């Protein structure tokens, strides 16, 4: 079967996982001609992340995909078993998703849900339990509606940055593209061919994740269980099992995982002669290999997702970190291609995303240290368990895991600046996020005379002004990635014009004062 590679496309994205698909969608919304190349002939069916965090769920919301994600969660909850609760005054049944730290499950009843960072983000509660496979399918449908070609069975074998574009050699022929973005995983061919170093810490452990049928499931304890040989978790999904062994990394991580391999690991860790009869999903093998690319950009070649950073998979942080990369990079690269990007805008991609990536790497490294079965780690685990057994400790951990505490370091004194935009309901019954479907900037204007909107009119086509009744905040400017670039509690527009220039470039036209 011949594959029709697009020639002279503006951007070629390598990798059709969630990160590559989100990036392609954001670029398409900006008007860029984009194509996606994927070496796999079919979508990856392996078990990976089982949930998404608040920034990822809200990214789906901004693009009109929240209801589809909520439908996925309802199906997952049905499979796992109902643990929903009524969400306060909005009377919505949704799980209070907390997660775990190093196998220590965070008690939802200890969380201070009135904490401002958590209380500001509740709309997406019903779309958090979205496994990676289902998310990928949802996004594949979305990019198809946007007209983005996803070419499967195409492997990248060479690249040459010519200064004004990139020549990409593939198993289906050579393609010329303006920009090349590697979203092709931890073993990224794009990163390797671009000569970008990948420093970090070497793997020391082996983990497995599988969903299986058992002849004797009653032999296993539910939840996380420690033993001298390692750690295992059984549940919450029927048949789902995770094991962690602290001996050595696997000899060949890329080899297919067999039923016998998972069974042997589970027997060693649990000390129980349990028997697996079948695998009901493609199992995965993982390690604590933890690395971050020396740079996220080399000329016209960029990296996002696991191509830029890898770490242990606790809490699905890698998926969410990668989607954050994609939403941040997508509109910025789109602005460069559209010709209106202010100077240095593309440089802010790595400047903003590298610190978040470094934090996630350390967050997962810390969990490996606490998980270990040696006496020192056990003592540390006891201390951390005590901290997580407090209201402040649990609330802190949930805020970190959920992404509610994420902040970009941006100029301005208002507490919302640099945060992801909170849930904001408007007087006409809509939410602010619903006005972000087109992928541009959104300016909320609650001044009595529309002063903010008049100022932003010069950026028509890039900024959508949304009028509303007077309230607090009086106005906020939200970037396409959901980050608040400017905010004011009064009708004072100080700083708004500077923020528009900083992020939206030069005005499209001059307005009369």
């Amino acid at each position: 079967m011949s594959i029709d590679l697009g020639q002279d496309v503006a951007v070629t994205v390598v990798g059709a996982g969630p990160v590559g698909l989100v990036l392609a969608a954001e670029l398409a919304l900006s008007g860029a001609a984009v194509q996606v190349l994927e070496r796999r002939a079919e979508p990856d069916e392996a078990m990976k992340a089982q949930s998404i965090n608040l920034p990822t769920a809200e990214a789906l919301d901004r693009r009109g995909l929240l209801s589809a994600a909520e439908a996925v969660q309802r199906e997952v909850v049905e499979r796992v078993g109902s643990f929903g609760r009524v969400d306060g005054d909005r009377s919505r049944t949704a799980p209070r998703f907390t997660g775990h730290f190093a196998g220590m499950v965070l008690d939802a009843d200890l969380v201070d849900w009135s904490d401002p960072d958590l209380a500001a983000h509740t709309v997406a509660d019903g779309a958090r339990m979205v496994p990676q496979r289902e998310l990928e399918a949802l996004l594949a449908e979305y990019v198809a509606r946007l007209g983005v070609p996803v070419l499967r069975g195409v492997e990248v074998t060479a690249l040459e940055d010519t200064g004004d574009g990139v020549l990409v050699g593939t198993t289906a022929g050579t393609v010329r593209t303006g920009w090349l973005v590697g979203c092709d995983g931890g073993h990224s061919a794009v990163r390797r061919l671009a000569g970008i170093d990948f420093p970090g810490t070497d793997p020391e452990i082996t983990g497995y994740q599988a969903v299986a049928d058992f002849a004797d499931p009653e032999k296993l304890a539910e939840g996380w269980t420690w033993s001298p040989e390692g750690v295992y978790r059984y549940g919450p999904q029927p048949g789902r099992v995770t094991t962690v062994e602290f001996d050595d990394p696997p000899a060949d991580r890329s080899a297919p995982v067999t039923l016998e391999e998972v069974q042997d690991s589970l027997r060693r860790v649990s000390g129980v002669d349990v028997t697996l009869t079948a695998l009901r999903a493609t199992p995965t093998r993982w390690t604590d290999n933890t690395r971050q690319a020396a740079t996220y950009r080399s000329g016209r070649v960029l990296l996002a997702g696991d191509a830029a950073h890898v770490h242990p998979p606790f809490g699905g942080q890698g998926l969410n970190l990668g989607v954050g990369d994609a939403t941040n990079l997508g509109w910025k690269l789109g602005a460069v291609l559209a010709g209106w990007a202010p100077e240095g805008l593309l440089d802010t991609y790595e400047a903003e995303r590298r610190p978040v990536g470094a934090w996630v790497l350390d967050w997962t490294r810390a969990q490996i240290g606490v998980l270990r079965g040696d006496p020192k780690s056990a003592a540390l685990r006891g201390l951390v368990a005590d901290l997580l057994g407090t209201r402040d400790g649990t609330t802190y951990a949930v805020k970190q895991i959920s992404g509610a505490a994420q902040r970009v370091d941006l100029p301005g004194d208002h507490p919302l600046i640099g945060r992801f935009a909170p849930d904001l309901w408007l007087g006409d019954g809509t939410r602010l996020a619903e006005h972000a479907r087109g992928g541009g900037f959104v300016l909320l204007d609650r001044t009595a005379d529309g002063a903010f909107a008049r100022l932003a009119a010069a950026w028509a086509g890039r900024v959508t002004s949304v009028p509303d009744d007077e309230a607090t905040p009086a106005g906020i400017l939200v970037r396409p990635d959901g980050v608040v670039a400017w905010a004011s509690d009064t009708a004072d527009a100080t700083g708004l014009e500077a923020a528009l220039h900083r992020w939206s470039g030069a005005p499209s036209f001059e307005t009369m004062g």
Side-chain angles (χ1 to χ4, degrees):
M1 180 181 68
S2 63
I3 298 175
D4 185 18
L5 288 175
Q7 297 296 325
D8 294 317
V9 295
V11 185
T12 295
V13 175
V14 182
V19 177
L21 294 174
V22 168
L23 177 61
E26 294 298 291
L27 287 164
L29 286 174
S30 74
V34 56
Q35 67 180 354
V36 180
L37 308 182
E38 169 56 54
R39 66 179 179 83
R40 294 185 177 88
E42 300 294 337
D44 188 3
E45 293 297 319
M47 286 189 65
K48 293 185 178 179
Q50 298 298 300
S51 62
I52 59 178
N53 68 2
L54 284 170
T56 298
E58 291 177 346
L60 298 177
D61 183 20
R62 289 192 300 275
R63 301 300 178 252
L65 301 174
L66 183 63
S67 61
E70 289 174 332
V72 171
Q73 173 160 304
R74 288 193 294 271
E75 294 174 2
V76 171
V77 170
E78 183 67 25
R79 292 200 302 266
V80 173
S82 177
F83 55 94
R85 65 174 65 181
V86 176
D87 187 14
D89 58 352
R90 299 207 170 265
S91 300
R92 297 177 59 198
T93 300
R96 284 297 201 186
F97 188 88
T98 56
H100 71 90
F101 183 88
M104 291 173 278
V105 178
L106 303 171
D107 186 350
D109 290 332
L110 283 177
V111 178
D112 179 7
W113 297 107
S114 66
D115 180 283
D117 289 333
L118 295 173
H121 302 273
T122 62
V123 168
D125 280 350
R128 296 284 307 284
M129 293 185 65
V130 179
Q132 184 164 332
R133 286 184 299 178
E134 284 82 350
L135 176 64
E136 187 174 320
L138 184 158
L139 291 170
E141 293 179 3
Y142 179 51
V143 299
R145 293 198 301 271
L146 293 174
V148 177
V150 177
L151 307 177
R152 292 192 169 273
V154 180
E155 187 169 355
V156 172
T157 58
L159 67 83
E160 178 188 357
D161 187 336
T162 61
D164 60 350
V166 184
L167 286 175
V168 186
T170 79
T171 51
T174 300
V175 59
R176 179 173 181 82
T177 188
W179 296 81
L180 181 69
V181 186
C183 302
D184 50 341
H187 297 286
S188 171
V190 172
R191 186 188 62 239
R192 174 176 52 81
L193 293 168
I196 298 174
D197 290 337
F198 205 34
T201 52
D202 294 332
E204 299 177 353
I205 70 172
T206 300
Y208 296 93
Q209 183 174 218
V211 177
D213 291 330
F214 291 80
D216 41 13
E218 70 280 355
K219 291 183 178 180
L220 298 173
E222 293 187 4
W224 291 87
T225 304
W226 278 261
S227 78
E229 302 301 324
V231 187
Y232 78 92
R233 180 193 187 191
Y234 182 58
Q237 179 181 346
R240 180 181 170 189
V241 64
T242 300
T243 68
V244 184
E245 297 184 78
F246 299 108
D247 44 11
D248 289 301
D252 182 5
R253 187 183 168 191
S254 63
V257 180
T258 65
L259 181 148
E260 290 74 20
E261 189 176 357
V262 176
Q263 177 176 270
D264 289 346
S265 177
L266 183 55
R267 286 178 174 180
R268 284 192 297 269
V269 172
S270 67
V272 175
D273 193 26
V274 65
T275 299
L276 278 63
T277 58
L279 294 176
R280 290 192 277 116
T282 304
T284 54
R285 181 194 300 111
W286 52 272
T287 73
D288 59 334
N289 182 43
T290 307
R291 301 181 182 279
Q292 189 171 31
T295 180
Y296 285 18
R297 178 188 176 190
S298 176
R300 285 180 171 260
V301 179
L302 297 117
L303 303 176
D306 286 353
H309 37 69
V310 294
H311 53 82
F314 296 127
Q317 293 285 348
L319 165 64
N320 296 299
L321 182 59
V323 170
D325 292 346
T327 58
N328 188 291
L329 174 60
W331 72 270
K332 293 174 181 178
L333 183 53
V336 170
L337 293 167
W340 59 259
E343 183 177 356
L345 179 63
L346 199 54
D347 294 335
T348 67
Y349 164 57
E350 179 166 359
E352 292 181 358
R353 295 304 300 171
R354 173 172 287 278
V356 183
W359 177 86
V360 170
L361 264 61
D362 282 344
W363 181 262
T364 55
R365 281 191 182 108
Q367 292 182 74
I368 294 295
V370 173
L371 266 176
R372 289 182 175 279
D374 62 272
K376 292 180 180 178
S377 295
L380 178 60
R381 186 164 60 251
L383 186 150
V384 173
D386 285 345
L387 292 174
L388 295 179
T390 66
R391 187 173 180 83
D392 287 347
T394 299
T395 302
Y396 166 81
V398 168
K399 286 169 60 173
Q400 300 301 322
I401 292 171
S402 69
Q406 283 189 26
R407 184 180 185 278
V408 178
D409 187 13
L410 300 182
D413 297 328
H414 195 283
L416 285 178
I417 294 177
R419 299 282 189 182
F420 286 102
D423 302 331
L424 289 174
W425 285 265
L426 309 181
D428 62 2
T430 65
R431 291 181 294 108
L432 188 64
E434 295 173 24
H435 296 269
R437 301 290 188 259
F441 291 80
V442 176
L443 174 64
L444 174 65
D445 184 356
R446 285 170 163 165
T447 60
D449 59 352
F452 299 158
R454 284 201 310 276
L455 192 156
W459 283 266
R462 300 176 215 159
V463 180
T464 298
S465 293
V466 181
D468 192 36
D469 298 334
E470 292 186 61
T472 301
I476 64 172
L477 176 66
V478 184
R479 302 190 323 191
D481 57 358
V483 173
V484 176
W486 170 87
S488 176
D489 289 336
T490 70
D492 184 358
T494 300
L496 175 56
E497 186 171 5
L500 287 165
H501 276 281
R502 177 183 175 88
W503 299 112
S504 304
S508 305
F509 58 86
E510 296 296 329
T511 59
M512 299 297 293

PDB file of all heavy atoms in Angstrom, residues 168-189:
ATOM      1  N   VAL A 168      13.137  15.234   5.704  1.00  0.00           N
ATOM      2  CA  VAL A 168      12.901  14.082   6.566  1.00  0.00           C
ATOM      3  C   VAL A 168      12.879  12.816   5.721  1.00  0.00           C
ATOM      4  O   VAL A 168      12.035  12.666   4.827  1.00  0.00           O
ATOM      5  CB  VAL A 168      11.563  14.220   7.332  1.00  0.00           C
ATOM      6  CG1 VAL A 168      11.410  13.076   8.327  1.00  0.00           C
ATOM      7  CG2 VAL A 168      11.473  15.570   8.023  1.00  0.00           C
ATOM      8  N   GLY A 169      13.804  11.916   6.005  1.00  0.00           N
ATOM      9  CA  GLY A 169      13.807  10.626   5.346  1.00  0.00           C
ATOM     10  C   GLY A 169      12.934   9.654   6.116  1.00  0.00           C
ATOM     11  O   GLY A 169      13.024   9.567   7.340  1.00  0.00           O
ATOM     12  N   THR A 170      12.069   8.938   5.406  1.00  0.00           N
ATOM     13  CA  THR A 170      11.182   7.977   6.049  1.00  0.00           C
ATOM     14  C   THR A 170      11.154   6.688   5.235  1.00  0.00           C
ATOM     15  O   THR A 170      11.650   6.632   4.104  1.00  0.00           O
ATOM     16  CB  THR A 170       9.733   8.518   6.164  1.00  0.00           C
ATOM     17  OG1 THR A 170       9.073   8.382   4.904  1.00  0.00           O
ATOM     18  CG2 THR A 170       9.717   9.977   6.604  1.00  0.00           C
ATOM     19  N   THR A 171      10.541   5.678   5.813  1.00  0.00           N
ATOM     20  CA  THR A 171      10.388   4.404   5.113  1.00  0.00           C
ATOM     21  C   THR A 171       9.416   4.509   3.946  1.00  0.00           C
ATOM     22  O   THR A 171       9.297   3.567   3.152  1.00  0.00           O
ATOM     23  CB  THR A 171       9.899   3.325   6.088  1.00  0.00           C
ATOM     24  OG1 THR A 171       8.737   3.813   6.784  1.00  0.00           O
ATOM     25  CG2 THR A 171      10.977   2.969   7.092  1.00  0.00           C
ATOM     26  N   ALA A 172       8.712   5.635   3.838  1.00  0.00           N
ATOM     27  CA  ALA A 172       7.775   5.844   2.729  1.00  0.00           C
ATOM     28  C   ALA A 172       8.288   6.892   1.746  1.00  0.00           C
ATOM     29  O   ALA A 172       7.555   7.310   0.852  1.00  0.00           O
ATOM     30  CB  ALA A 172       6.407   6.262   3.264  1.00  0.00           C
ATOM     31  N   GLY A 173       9.529   7.325   1.929  1.00  0.00           N
ATOM     32  CA  GLY A 173      10.085   8.336   1.050  1.00  0.00           C
ATOM     33  C   GLY A 173      10.546   9.561   1.827  1.00  0.00           C
ATOM     34  O   GLY A 173      10.498   9.595   3.063  1.00  0.00           O
ATOM     35  N   THR A 174      10.979  10.575   1.101  1.00  0.00           N
ATOM     36  CA  THR A 174      11.493  11.800   1.716  1.00  0.00           C
ATOM     37  C   THR A 174      10.437  12.902   1.637  1.00  0.00           C
ATOM     38  O   THR A 174       9.738  13.047   0.631  1.00  0.00           O
ATOM     39  CB  THR A 174      12.776  12.272   1.003  1.00  0.00           C
ATOM     40  OG1 THR A 174      13.766  11.248   1.093  1.00  0.00           O
ATOM     41  CG2 THR A 174      13.318  13.545   1.642  1.00  0.00           C
ATOM     42  N   VAL A 175      10.321  13.636   2.721  1.00  0.00           N
ATOM     43  CA  VAL A 175       9.368  14.735   2.766  1.00  0.00           C
ATOM     44  C   VAL A 175      10.092  15.992   3.219  1.00  0.00           C
ATOM     45  O   VAL A 175      11.002  15.939   4.057  1.00  0.00           O
ATOM     46  CB  VAL A 175       8.196  14.418   3.728  1.00  0.00           C
ATOM     47  CG1 VAL A 175       8.699  14.155   5.131  1.00  0.00           C
ATOM     48  CG2 VAL A 175       7.178  15.552   3.740  1.00  0.00           C
ATOM     49  N   ARG A 176       9.723  17.118   2.624  1.00  0.00           N
ATOM     50  CA  ARG A 176      10.244  18.410   3.071  1.00  0.00           C
ATOM     51  C   ARG A 176       9.185  19.086   3.900  1.00  0.00           C
ATOM     52  O   ARG A 176       8.016  19.167   3.514  1.00  0.00           O
ATOM     53  CB  ARG A 176      10.635  19.290   1.890  1.00  0.00           C
ATOM     54  CG  ARG A 176      11.159  20.660   2.335  1.00  0.00           C
ATOM     55  CD  ARG A 176      11.695  21.480   1.191  1.00  0.00           C
ATOM     56  NE  ARG A 176      12.191  22.759   1.677  1.00  0.00           N
ATOM     57  CZ  ARG A 176      13.376  22.970   2.225  1.00  0.00           C
ATOM     58  NH1 ARG A 176      14.214  21.948   2.341  1.00  0.00           N
ATOM     59  NH2 ARG A 176      13.747  24.152   2.662  1.00  0.00           N
ATOM     60  N   THR A 177       9.584  19.600   5.049  1.00  0.00           N
ATOM     61  CA  THR A 177       8.642  20.235   5.962  1.00  0.00           C
ATOM     62  C   THR A 177       9.274  21.490   6.540  1.00  0.00           C
ATOM     63  O   THR A 177      10.508  21.589   6.647  1.00  0.00           O
ATOM     64  CB  THR A 177       8.235  19.267   7.082  1.00  0.00           C
ATOM     65  OG1 THR A 177       7.187  19.822   7.861  1.00  0.00           O
ATOM     66  CG2 THR A 177       9.405  18.930   7.994  1.00  0.00           C
ATOM     67  N   GLY A 178       8.442  22.446   6.900  1.00  0.00           N
ATOM     68  CA  GLY A 178       8.973  23.673   7.479  1.00  0.00           C
ATOM     69  C   GLY A 178       9.548  23.443   8.867  1.00  0.00           C
ATOM     70  O   GLY A 178      10.604  23.964   9.225  1.00  0.00           O
ATOM     71  N   TRP A 179       8.822  22.660   9.672  1.00  0.00           N
ATOM     72  CA  TRP A 179       9.237  22.350  11.039  1.00  0.00           C
ATOM     73  C   TRP A 179       8.963  20.872  11.297  1.00  0.00           C
ATOM     74  O   TRP A 179       8.000  20.311  10.758  1.00  0.00           O
ATOM     75  CB  TRP A 179       8.454  23.192  12.051  1.00  0.00           C
ATOM     76  CG  TRP A 179       8.720  24.665  11.942  1.00  0.00           C
ATOM     77  CD1 TRP A 179       8.161  25.540  11.034  1.00  0.00           C
ATOM     78  CD2 TRP A 179       9.603  25.449  12.752  1.00  0.00           C
ATOM     79  NE1 TRP A 179       8.636  26.811  11.230  1.00  0.00           N
ATOM     80  CE2 TRP A 179       9.520  26.784  12.287  1.00  0.00           C
ATOM     81  CE3 TRP A 179      10.440  25.156  13.821  1.00  0.00           C
ATOM     82  CZ2 TRP A 179      10.259  27.818  12.861  1.00  0.00           C
ATOM     83  CZ3 TRP A 179      11.172  26.190  14.398  1.00  0.00           C
ATOM     84  CH2 TRP A 179      11.083  27.498  13.923  1.00  0.00           C
ATOM     85  N   LEU A 180       9.777  20.272  12.147  1.00  0.00           N
ATOM     86  CA  LEU A 180       9.606  18.870  12.527  1.00  0.00           C
ATOM     87  C   LEU A 180       9.514  18.804  14.044  1.00  0.00           C
ATOM     88  O   LEU A 180      10.366  19.343  14.754  1.00  0.00           O
ATOM     89  CB  LEU A 180      10.793  18.041  12.041  1.00  0.00           C
ATOM     90  CG  LEU A 180      10.756  16.543  12.347  1.00  0.00           C
ATOM     91  CD1 LEU A 180       9.659  15.857  11.530  1.00  0.00           C
ATOM     92  CD2 LEU A 180      12.116  15.896  12.058  1.00  0.00           C
ATOM     93  N   VAL A 181       8.475  18.139  14.541  1.00  0.00           N
ATOM     94  CA  VAL A 181       8.306  18.013  15.994  1.00  0.00           C
ATOM     95  C   VAL A 181       8.258  16.534  16.364  1.00  0.00           C
ATOM     96  O   VAL A 181       7.398  15.793  15.886  1.00  0.00           O
ATOM     97  CB  VAL A 181       7.020  18.709  16.487  1.00  0.00           C
ATOM     98  CG1 VAL A 181       6.982  18.683  18.025  1.00  0.00           C
ATOM     99  CG2 VAL A 181       6.947  20.143  15.988  1.00  0.00           C
ATOM    100  N   GLY A 182       9.185  16.122  17.214  1.00  0.00           N
ATOM    101  CA  GLY A 182       9.231  14.746  17.679  1.00  0.00           C
ATOM    102  C   GLY A 182       8.336  14.547  18.885  1.00  0.00           C
ATOM    103  O   GLY A 182       8.613  15.074  19.967  1.00  0.00           O
ATOM    104  N   CYS A 183       7.252  13.809  18.686  1.00  0.00           N
ATOM    105  CA  CYS A 183       6.365  13.384  19.778  1.00  0.00           C
ATOM    106  C   CYS A 183       6.363  11.857  19.782  1.00  0.00           C
ATOM    107  O   CYS A 183       5.330  11.217  19.996  1.00  0.00           O
ATOM    108  CB  CYS A 183       4.954  13.914  19.568  1.00  0.00           C
ATOM    109  SG  CYS A 183       4.826  15.709  19.439  1.00  0.00           S
ATOM    110  N   ASP A 184       7.544  11.288  19.512  1.00  0.00           N
ATOM    111  CA  ASP A 184       7.661   9.865  19.241  1.00  0.00           C
ATOM    112  C   ASP A 184       8.261   9.065  20.386  1.00  0.00           C
ATOM    113  O   ASP A 184       8.913   8.045  20.181  1.00  0.00           O
ATOM    114  CB  ASP A 184       8.454   9.621  17.952  1.00  0.00           C
ATOM    115  CG  ASP A 184       9.783  10.377  17.889  1.00  0.00           C
ATOM    116  OD1 ASP A 184       9.947  11.351  18.650  1.00  0.00           O
ATOM    117  OD2 ASP A 184      10.644  10.009  17.077  1.00  0.00           O
ATOM    118  N   GLY A 185       8.005   9.493  21.618  1.00  0.00           N
ATOM    119  CA  GLY A 185       8.286   8.661  22.776  1.00  0.00           C
ATOM    120  C   GLY A 185       9.706   8.701  23.286  1.00  0.00           C
ATOM    121  O   GLY A 185      10.572   9.391  22.757  1.00  0.00           O
ATOM    122  N   GLY A 186       9.926   7.925  24.345  1.00  0.00           N
ATOM    123  CA  GLY A 186      11.210   7.929  25.032  1.00  0.00           C
ATOM    124  C   GLY A 186      12.377   7.485  24.179  1.00  0.00           C
ATOM    125  O   GLY A 186      13.514   7.896  24.414  1.00  0.00           O
ATOM    126  N   HIS A 187      12.114   6.636  23.191  1.00  0.00           N
ATOM    127  CA  HIS A 187      13.168   6.190  22.271  1.00  0.00           C
ATOM    128  C   HIS A 187      13.146   7.007  20.987  1.00  0.00           C
ATOM    129  O   HIS A 187      13.497   6.503  19.918  1.00  0.00           O
ATOM    130  CB  HIS A 187      12.984   4.705  21.960  1.00  0.00           C
ATOM    131  CG  HIS A 187      13.114   3.815  23.156  1.00  0.00           C
ATOM    132  ND1 HIS A 187      14.331   3.541  23.749  1.00  0.00           N
ATOM    133  CD2 HIS A 187      12.190   3.156  23.891  1.00  0.00           C
ATOM    134  CE1 HIS A 187      14.145   2.740  24.783  1.00  0.00           C
ATOM    135  NE2 HIS A 187      12.852   2.498  24.902  1.00  0.00           N
ATOM    136  N   SER A 188      12.780   8.265  21.100  1.00  0.00           N
ATOM    137  CA  SER A 188      12.552   9.156  19.972  1.00  0.00           C
ATOM    138  C   SER A 188      13.624   9.091  18.884  1.00  0.00           C
ATOM    139  O   SER A 188      14.797   9.381  19.131  1.00  0.00           O
ATOM    140  CB  SER A 188      12.448  10.595  20.483  1.00  0.00           C
ATOM    141  OG  SER A 188      12.434  11.514  19.407  1.00  0.00           O
ATOM    142  N   ALA A 189      13.198   8.730  17.674  1.00  0.00           N
ATOM    143  CA  ALA A 189      14.102   8.775  16.529  1.00  0.00           C
ATOM    144  C   ALA A 189      14.443  10.213  16.177  1.00  0.00           C
ATOM    145  O   ALA A 189      15.570  10.522  15.773  1.00  0.00           O
ATOM    146  CB  ALA A 189      13.456   8.074  15.335  1.00  0.00           C
TER     147      ALA A 189
END
